[in-house]
């Protein structure tokens, strides 16, 4: 590759001079940036042109993905609504079923020829007459909301724009729905296009310009609002969030009131989730003074903390979510990174556990109050989602939708181990592999992690991973600090100034796998995406001697400037900001972009990003690739995979998912020795 342009940009961070020679790559539309991306694209194509496994892997992956995938249904007025993908469809189709008759409600595959328009959310009105749904194009976080008359199979003219991260909450009388939106582009500075969240009410059959403003708070432009309707349909509530901070606020008011919202929980001192209410007595799930979570009842007419009633105290496991079903509270508990379901009465009396068929994860849970039924999905590393119904009164558990795989997963098994991190903390890890695997230190391992934003890595099914297992590989998932596997304390131990703990946990996982003869460093590969892309990039830079290959997907890389791109500032509560003199030292210490060293032979790295990623912009991946190509030892393999018509992963069509994994496996086949 010819000499690459370098800017002479030096920025002063609290007395530390930092060079940023590839800042020009932050603008994808300049001629220099376009030419550079084309050249890296050609290098990527040349790299994969010598791979020998792609044709076979594609055939195998298409066969593995070709099974029916079911979502957890929602039941409204006797009609079941659910999504199903017959196998290789790019997008799941939404169906309805009543009296045994099934029909299509929305087929997102008809919205684009290549499957890159996805339905990302939908909400049914209380009567079941109407539905509103959101779509995303090319994986963008920006979405549009449309409506249809379900009863008459009629698309309506309603069209809502400038929406991102919005709930859809129907009014009890079916007249319309509440949603949140951001300013129309051009009405605010570009850096404020994801600020100034507002809540509107849209009346069915009207134009968006006529929507009624429900709440705005321009003096706090960084707050985001998401509407919900209370169980008794008498109140409208708002979840109030500041970026991705776990702590949130709750505003409430009677639904027909013209008054301002009551700022019920406004200190942003903990996480609060509405469960149900009886008149003015509101039940919330919270981690206030309870890192593992608890349930409290708050009378909104006397909301002072000294008046709170504890309904369900903190448990041994993490209180993941709570669903109210008449007089019963269905509680999902996460215990050592898998789920359990327990029943309590509304006054907090423990009833019993619902015995789940497998050790795994809940994918979703919905309820039908009229019939006293909950629906939930259950999955594991070796079991695709199976959907169950459970009748609370009779304690009846029934399977209502099961996937029939074309491959037998019986030859494989999953085990859970616990290993010590650098500071002695015990960290859980799931290992999935062939039952006849020999611990001879020669097995290829794919180690996956995330470690942040309160996200738990509980067991989940990915058909692409089965191909790795077929190849004789071990799939390892480490439950790093930064997630919520052990509550908010586990999360806080991996955020802000504690972020290095996450990297230490992941490095220790790799060392444990080698020490215990699962693999050797030349056959140890690591993978992560988004915050997990930051994870593998930081670990690669810190321990280039430990890994045989690195797959770094849609990564956050430039920790000094991440908050200046699109919604990056949402992550400041998790990462901190280099603009803050107290935060800069720890961000600079691990920022992958700023810790690439001259002349080091780094493990082969595939950096995968996408042109339409407006969550973690491709500039992170591009600047990292450019820096590695400049500084790393000339024998280092650096491949940048820049995907078109794709974003951060939202609604990615099946065909693109398969193509991506074909390249991942081609990369691992070439690089693991």
């Amino acid at each position: 590759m010819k000499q690459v342009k370098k800017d002479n940009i030096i920025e002063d961070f609290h007395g530390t001079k930092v060079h940023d020679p590839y800042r020009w790559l932050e603008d994808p539309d300049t001629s220099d940036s376009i030419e550079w991306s084309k050249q890296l694209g050609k290098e990527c194509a040349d790299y994969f042109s010598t791979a020998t496994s792609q044709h076979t892997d594609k055939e195998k992956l298409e066969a593995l993905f070709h099974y029916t995938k079911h979502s957890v249904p929602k039941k409204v007025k006797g009609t079941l609504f659910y999504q199903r993908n017959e196998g290789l469809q790019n997008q799941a189709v939404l169906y309805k079923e009543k009296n045994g008759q099934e029909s299509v409600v929305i087929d997102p595959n008809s919205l684009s020829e290549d499957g890159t328009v996805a339905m990302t959310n939908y909400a049914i009105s209380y009567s079941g007459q109407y539905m509103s749904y959101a779509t995303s194009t090319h994986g963008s976080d920006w979405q549009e909301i449309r409506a249809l008359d379900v009863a008459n199979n009629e698309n309506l003219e309603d069209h809502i724009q400038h929406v991102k991260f919005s709930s859809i909450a129907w009014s009890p009388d079916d007249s319309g729905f509440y949603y949140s939106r951001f300013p129309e582009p051009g009405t605010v500075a570009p850096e404020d296009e994801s600020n100034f969240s507002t809540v509107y009410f849209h009346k069915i059959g009207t134009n968006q310009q006529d929507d009624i403003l429900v709440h705005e708070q321009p003096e706090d432009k960084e707050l985001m609002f998401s509407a919900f309707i209370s169980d008794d349909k008498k109140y409208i509530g708002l979840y109030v969030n500041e970026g991705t901070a776990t702590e949130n606020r709750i505003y409430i008011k009677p639904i027909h009131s013209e008054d301002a919202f009551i700022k019920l929980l406004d200190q942003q001192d903990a996480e609060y989730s509405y469960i149900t209410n009886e008149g003015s007595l509101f039940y919330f799930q919270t981690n206030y003074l309870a890192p593992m979570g608890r349930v409290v009842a708050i009378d909104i007419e006397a909301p002072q903390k000294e008046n709170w009633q504890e309904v369900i105290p903190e448990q041994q496991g993490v209180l993941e979510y709570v669903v109210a079903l008449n007089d019963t509270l269905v509680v999902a508990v996460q215990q050592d990174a898998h789920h359990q379901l327990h029943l309590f009465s509304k006054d907090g009396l423990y009833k019993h556990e619902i015995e789940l068929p497998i050790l795994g994860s809940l994918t979703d849970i919905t309820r039908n109050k009229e019939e006293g039924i909950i629906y939930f999905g259950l999955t594991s590393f070796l079991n695709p989602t199976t959907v169950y119904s459970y009748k609370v009164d009779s304690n009846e558990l029934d399977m209502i939708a099961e996937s029939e795989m074309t491959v037998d997963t019986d030859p494989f098994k999953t085990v859970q181990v616990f290993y010590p991190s650098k500071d002695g903390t015990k960290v859980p890890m799931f290992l999935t592999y062939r039952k006849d695997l020999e611990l001879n230190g020669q097995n290829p391992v794919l180690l996956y992690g995330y470690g942040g934003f309160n996200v738990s890595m509980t067991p989940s099914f990915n058909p692409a991973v089965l191909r790795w297992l077929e190849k004789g590989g071990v799939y390892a998932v480490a439950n790093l600090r930064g997630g919520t596997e052990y509550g908010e304390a586990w999360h806080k131990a991996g955020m802000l100034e504690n972020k290095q703990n996450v990297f230490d946990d992941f490095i220790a996982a790799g060392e444990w796998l080698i020490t215990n003869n699962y693999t050797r460093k030349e056959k140890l590969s690591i993978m992560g995406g988004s915050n997990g892309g930051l994870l593998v990039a930081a670990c690669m830079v810190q321990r280039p001697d430990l890994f045989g290959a690195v797959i770094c997907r849609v990564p956050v890389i430039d920790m000094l400037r991440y908050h200046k791109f699109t919604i990056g500032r949402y992550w400041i509560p998790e990462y901190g900001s280099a603009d803050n003199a107290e935060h800069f030292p720890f961000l600079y210490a691990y920022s992958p972009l700023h810790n690439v060293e001259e002349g080091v032979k780094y493990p082969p790295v595939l950096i995968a990003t996408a042109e339409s990623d407006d969550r973690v912009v491709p500039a992170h991946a591009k600047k990292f690739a450019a820096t590695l190509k400049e500084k790393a030892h000339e024998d280092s393999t650096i491949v940048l995979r820049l995907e078109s018509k794709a974003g951060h992963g939202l609604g990615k069509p099946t065909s693109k998912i398969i193509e991506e994994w074909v390249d991942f496996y081609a990369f691992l086949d070439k690089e693991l020795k």
Side-chain angles (χ1 to χ4, degrees):
M1 187 174 184
K2 70 177 185 179
Q3 186 68 34
V4 176
K5 170 184 172 181
K6 292 177 67 175
D7 285 335
N8 187 30
I9 293 175
I10 302 174
E11 196 165 354
D12 189 317
F13 288 90
H14 318 288
T16 299
K17 301 286 195 300
V18 179
H19 291 255
D20 194 5
Y22 298 110
R23 189 173 292 185
W24 56 275
L25 285 170
E26 292 177 3
D27 185 346
D29 298 322
T30 66
S31 58
D32 286 336
S33 188
I34 291 169
E35 182 182 354
W36 183 89
S37 295
K38 284 182 178 178
Q39 178 60 35
L40 268 291
K42 182 180 183 302
E43 290 181 13
C44 179
D46 290 345
Y47 174 87
F48 284 113
S49 69
T50 62
T52 58
S53 60
Q54 288 178 296
H55 179 72
T56 300
D57 279 338
K58 185 175 182 180
E59 286 186 342
K60 293 284 189 180
L61 285 165
E62 286 179 344
L64 289 168
F65 272 83
H66 201 180
Y67 69 94
T68 305
K69 305 164 189 72
H70 304 276
S71 75
V72 176
K74 303 174 183 178
K75 197 166 193 178
V76 180
K77 297 298 181 184
T79 300
L80 274 178
F81 294 87
Y82 49 89
Q83 291 172 277
R84 187 173 69 240
N85 187 319
E86 299 294 351
L88 295 177
Q89 289 176 290
N90 276 320
Q91 303 291 341
V93 177
L94 178 65
Y95 297 88
K96 66 177 180 179
E97 181 188 298
K98 189 169 187 177
N99 300 325
Q101 298 295 313
E102 179 185 81
S103 59
V104 173
V105 180
I106 291 283
D107 181 0
N109 298 290
S110 66
L111 302 179
S112 63
E113 290 186 3
D114 56 6
T116 57
V117 175
M119 184 175 73
T120 54
N121 188 17
Y122 72 94
I124 311 297
S125 69
Y126 284 88
S127 71
Q129 174 81 29
Y130 299 109
M131 186 187 96
S132 45
Y133 64 98
T135 59
S136 163
T137 300
H138 299 168
S140 173
D141 280 337
W142 288 109
Q143 296 170 47
E144 302 177 38
I145 300 175
R146 292 178 171 81
L148 56 86
D149 183 332
V150 177
N152 296 305
N153 294 320
E154 179 185 354
N155 289 309
L156 303 178
E157 296 297 322
D158 305 70
H159 183 201
I160 309 296
Q161 296 177 292
H162 319 307
V163 171
K164 185 189 291 191
F165 313 126
S166 176
S167 63
I168 303 172
W170 278 90
S171 61
D173 63 1
D174 274 18
S175 62
F177 54 86
Y178 300 88
Y179 69 97
S180 52
R181 56 160 291 184
F182 290 100
E184 185 174 348
T187 62
V188 294
E191 62 268 22
D192 278 331
E193 288 180 359
S194 293
N195 285 326
F196 298 108
S197 172
T198 48
V199 179
Y200 279 86
F201 177 74
H202 174 76
K203 186 177 180 181
I204 285 295
T206 64
N207 293 320
Q208 183 175 9
Q209 64 189 27
D210 299 322
D211 289 354
I212 300 166
L213 179 66
V214 176
H215 184 77
E216 64 177 347
Q217 209 162 314
E219 68 275 17
D220 296 309
K221 70 176 184 178
E222 294 187 351
L223 294 182
M224 296 185 293
F225 306 99
S226 187
F228 66 91
I229 305 298
S230 65
D231 255 5
D232 62 2
K233 307 175 187 175
K234 294 180 179 178
Y235 296 87
I236 179 173
L238 299 179
Y239 287 108
V240 186
N241 293 86
E242 186 170 352
T244 56
T246 305
E247 300 81 10
N248 66 302
R249 313 177 191 189
I250 299 282
Y251 298 171
I252 294 281
K253 74 171 183 176
I255 196 167
H256 297 300
S257 171
E258 298 294 328
D259 296 336
F261 280 86
I262 302 164
K263 296 183 177 181
L264 179 66
L265 299 163
D266 199 35
Q267 295 182 348
Q268 204 165 312
D269 53 5
E271 183 177 14
Y272 298 93
S273 298
Y274 169 78
I275 301 170
T276 189
N277 67 294
E278 295 176 350
S280 64
L281 189 66
F282 278 65
Y283 291 75
F284 291 98
Q285 175 187 342
T286 183
N287 57 15
Y288 178 73
L289 299 182
M292 304 291 272
R294 61 177 176 150
V295 175
V296 298
I298 303 173
D299 191 327
I300 63 173
E301 295 178 359
Q304 297 78 12
K305 286 187 170 74
E306 59 266 25
N307 297 329
W308 292 11
Q309 305 168 36
E310 184 171 78
V311 179
I312 300 176
E314 193 172 22
Q315 307 288 301
Q316 184 179 1
V318 181
L319 212 65
E320 188 110 339
Y321 36 82
V322 182
V323 173
L325 192 66
N326 303 322
D327 294 326
T328 299
L329 298 178
V330 182
V331 179
V333 174
Q334 187 186 151
Q335 184 71 49
D336 289 331
H338 66 271
H339 285 127
Q340 301 170 349
L341 276 176
H342 298 269
L343 299 186
F344 290 80
S345 64
K346 203 179 279 187
D347 60 6
L349 181 67
Y350 181 73
K351 293 184 175 182
H352 59 85
E353 181 179 353
I354 301 175
E355 295 292 337
L356 300 179
I358 61 171
L359 194 73
S361 306
L362 294 165
T363 59
D364 193 10
I365 183 167
T366 64
R367 62 179 182 172
N368 179 243
K369 291 197 296 182
E370 290 80 8
E371 298 178 16
I373 293 176
I374 61 167
Y375 300 97
F376 63 89
L378 193 61
T379 187
S380 74
F381 290 110
L382 294 172
N383 298 90
T385 299
T386 299
V387 181
Y388 297 89
S389 67
Y390 177 79
K391 294 181 180 177
V392 171
D393 292 341
S394 59
N395 192 26
E396 290 181 57
L397 180 67
D398 293 307
M399 183 178 68
I400 61 172
E402 182 182 26
S403 299
E404 293 187 8
M405 292 287 296
T406 56
V407 64
D408 181 14
T409 60
D410 190 59
F412 311 110
K413 68 176 181 179
T414 298
V415 298
Q416 187 178 39
V417 300
F418 294 82
Y419 66 90
S421 188
K422 183 178 181 180
D423 62 0
T425 299
K426 291 290 184 184
V427 180
M429 177 165 57
F430 292 103
L431 306 174
T432 304
Y433 51 84
R434 295 191 69 90
K435 292 175 181 176
D436 59 1
L437 184 86
E438 290 185 36
L439 297 183
N440 56 11
Q442 300 302 312
N443 305 297
V445 168
L446 181 57
L447 172 61
Y448 185 87
Y450 187 78
F453 294 93
N454 219 27
V455 174
S456 293
M457 292 289 101
T458 57
S460 62
F461 185 76
N462 182 348
V465 170
L466 288 180
R467 177 61 183 147
W468 181 248
L469 303 181
E470 288 180 343
K471 286 169 172 274
V474 177
Y475 183 61
V477 177
N479 298 106
L480 315 170
R481 281 175 282 187
T484 192
E485 284 87 346
Y486 296 104
E488 184 59 15
W490 193 253
H491 173 217
K492 288 182 176 177
M495 61 185 284
L496 294 172
E497 72 276 8
N498 297 320
K499 188 68 176 176
Q500 183 60 41
N501 286 336
V502 183
F503 311 137
D504 290 343
D505 290 353
F506 201 59
I507 289 167
E511 292 174 332
W512 186 94
L513 287 160
I514 293 169
T515 300
N516 287 271
N517 292 321
Y518 281 88
T519 193
R520 52 186 169 86
K521 64 180 183 180
E522 293 84 2
K523 287 187 172 291
L524 174 60
S525 59
I526 54 176
M527 174 190 279
S530 193
N531 172 71
L534 164 63
L535 166 73
V536 298
C539 291
M540 178 189 92
V541 169
Q542 291 182 18
R543 288 294 306 276
D545 61 307
L546 185 60
F547 310 109
V550 179
I551 299 176
C552 182
R553 304 168 72 180
V554 289
V556 186
I557 294 290
D558 185 345
M559 299 311 296
L560 304 188
R561 287 176 58 77
Y562 78 86
H563 59 298
K564 298 181 182 295
F565 310 128
T566 58
I567 64 163
R569 59 96 181 161
Y570 289 3
W571 316 326
I572 290 176
E574 182 80 13
Y575 293 141
S577 167
D579 297 337
N580 183 320
E582 294 181 5
H583 294 172
F584 169 75
F586 62 74
L587 286 165
Y588 191 45
Y590 74 76
S591 176
L593 185 68
H594 302 96
N595 284 279
V596 176
E597 295 184 11
E598 197 85 38
V600 173
K601 189 175 188 303
Y602 289 101
V605 57
L606 173 60
I607 308 167
T609 187
E611 290 178 347
S612 303
D613 192 342
D614 51 13
R615 187 176 304 184
V616 180
V617 293
H620 285 279
K622 292 178 179 180
K623 291 173 75 174
F624 191 42
T627 303
L628 284 168
K629 282 183 168 290
E630 175 200 348
K631 291 186 174 183
H633 188 278
E634 61 181 8
D635 291 338
S636 300
T637 298
I638 299 122
V639 182
L640 178 68
R641 185 184 191 273
L642 181 59
E643 189 172 17
S644 63
K645 291 188 177 182
H648 199 62
L650 181 71
K652 181 173 278 192
T654 301
S655 58
K656 280 186 171 290
I657 293 172
I658 291 174
E659 289 169 4
E660 187 175 47
W661 277 94
V662 166
D663 283 352
F664 291 165
Y665 286 141
F667 172 74
L668 294 177
D669 284 346
K670 289 186 67 168
E671 302 301 341
L672 293 183
K673 303 294 187 283

